[in-house]
Amino acid sequence: DIAILHADRADAYGNVQHIHGWGDRAHYRAADKTIVQVEKIVANEDIRRDPSRTSIIGADAIVRAPFGAHPFASMGHYLEDREFIGEYVSTAGQAHKTGEIAPLDRFVKEKFASPGNHVEYLESIGLRRLLSLHEY
């Protein structure tokens, strides 16, 4: 079983540092393999400067994925995209109420299935919108 998690940063050796992520630690311990997508990959020396922040030691794979938690927040990097989440909740709610699933299928296809990779997904969201989510 595989845990796929999101965190603030990690080094190339799988040492992960969360700003939060209490639930992620439990998923890591329960999984046979763990893949962590991070906002940035840093040098091992940066991780060792503050070892008390290291929440996962030896994840199986680290993937750099800026805005990888979108539409949700990544603490210290960006806020949740409330507009995007609201659009999804509204579309899903209507599908649940009416039984008409086609609008939800279109939303999922357009937003999640159509982009061929992470960069295309971010391009579909738009630079201005992504930058508007940054925490300052």
Side-chain angles (χ1 to χ4, degrees):
D1 122 296
I2 298 174
I4 301 174
L5 309 173
H6 182 82
D8 175 44
R9 64 196 211 147
D11 65 17
Y13 303 104
N15 300 305
V16 178
Q17 293 184 333
H18 284 84
I19 291 176
H20 289 290
W22 303 106
D24 285 0
R25 293 176 180 122
H27 290 290
Y28 165 69
R29 286 190 299 272
D32 295 326
K33 300 281 183 185
T34 302
I35 300 167
V36 183
Q37 62 177 19
V38 295
E39 295 297 326
K40 57 188 169 185
I41 297 175
V42 298
N44 180 258
E45 291 78 15
D46 291 336
I47 297 292
R48 292 188 316 201
R49 273 192 197 100
D50 191 1
S52 65
R53 283 193 58 215
T54 303
S55 48
I56 294 174
I57 297 171
D60 298 288
I62 301 297
V63 178
R64 183 177 170 270
F67 289 99
H70 184 273
F72 303 105
S74 182
M75 295 218 30
H77 296 280
Y78 48 90
L79 304 169
E80 70 275 1
D81 188 339
R82 291 181 180 191
E83 183 181 329
F84 186 102
I85 294 168
E87 186 180 349
Y88 169 75
V89 168
S90 175
T91 304
Q94 280 301 109
H96 178 71
K97 286 179 189 174
T98 65
E100 178 56 45
I101 196 114
L104 181 58
D105 284 343
R106 279 192 299 278
F107 181 90
V108 169
K109 182 177 181 184
E110 175 189 325
K111 303 293 185 183
F112 303 115
S114 291
N117 56 47
H118 185 61
V119 172
E120 288 179 11
Y121 172 78
L122 295 179
E123 287 174 340
S124 74
I125 301 303
L127 181 61
R128 285 184 192 273
R129 185 169 181 171
L130 291 171
L131 292 177
S132 76
L133 301 174
H134 266 282
E135 287 189 293
Y136 295 102

